Amino acid sequence: MFKIKSLDIFFIFFIFTVLSLGTWQVYRLYLKNNLISDLEKNLKTSSINFNVDIDKEYTKILFKKKDLNTKIFLYHLNKGEIGFKVIVPYEINSSLLVLVDKGWIRKDKINLIKNTLFNDDIIEGYTRKIREKNLFTPNNNIKEDFLYSVEIDNLKKSLNKNIYPLLIIQTSKTNKDIIPNDYEVRLPNNHLQYAITWYGLAIFTIIFFLYYRKKF
């Protein structure tokens, strides 16, 4: 007679849990793929004139402003080569700045644009969230010219202005030494790998459980 043991209940509960987690990841994959598809469609539409009420990522914008002759250089790898993202603040009004990611520059070219003005630039690009520093990003050293992350609170204090909450990723050409950005949706989408992992664990557990029941 087949008797259910306490360990059997544990196995059944564990298998049900990992199958549920796998199914949840499949659902998340479906949602993420739809989101990425919608955002990619946004990048194919015509640009709209920038205004401070824009609050969605991947909105294509166009504006013309003067920079503050201030530049932020962020360490950034491009195809394995060390260089920097060039971030330039632009004045929107007397109390608000917008940060523009103008592209990537090689380390040996940095001195060529340190004193370059981007006045009256016609900027075309799209909006992105300003990413917070994660656990693996080194702390910025205020004694250095080059940074590892954009720290909004420190910028507000140093520039004495508020910062528009979205970063503008410039895609139009700006300087011969700066490699411009591409229109690209960058959202992590690892749900398929997670689903395979959970389903694989469920299959392994089922096989082990059947072996265990047959043996004991």
Side-chain angles (χ1 to χ4, degrees), residues 65-128:
K65 297 289 181 182
K66 292 184 178 181
D67 73 25
L68 298 181
N69 197 21
T70 299
K71 297 176 184 64
I72 302 165
F73 298 103
L74 295 181
Y75 283 105
H76 188 85
L77 288 177
N78 182 33
K79 298 178 180 179
E81 185 177 3
I82 296 176
F84 302 92
K85 279 286 190 177
V86 182
I87 311 294
V88 177
Y90 283 77
E91 190 173 62
I92 299 301
N93 54 48
S94 59
S95 63
L96 183 66
L97 300 176
V98 61
L99 301 180
V100 176
D101 175 352
K102 304 191 77 67
W104 183 86
I105 190 169
R106 290 172 51 186
K107 188 176 182 179
D108 59 356
K109 299 277 189 179
I110 200 75
N111 290 326
L112 297 176
I113 66 164
K114 272 191 173 182
N115 297 316
T116 298
L117 287 174
F118 298 105
N119 285 345
D120 297 322
D121 237 348
I122 297 178
I123 295 172
E124 185 171 16
Y126 59 94
T127 55
R128 283 283 311 273

Side-chain angles (χ1 to χ4, degrees), residues 133-138:
K133 185 175 82 71
N134 60 41
L135 294 174
F136 303 102
T137 303

Side-chain angles (χ1 to χ4, degrees), residues 25 29 32 187-197:
Q25 290 300 330
L29 175 65
K32 185 61 72 66
L187 291 180
N189 190 12
N190 300 316
H191 298 293
L192 178 59
Q193 294 92 313
Y194 296 151
I196 291 173
T197 300

Side-chain angles (χ1 to χ4, degrees), residues 50-63:
F50 174 81
N51 68 79
V52 296
D53 294 325
I54 295 173
D55 59 0
K56 293 182 179 179
E57 283 194 287
Y58 297 98
T59 301
K60 286 181 68 175
I61 59 89
L62 185 71
F63 75 95

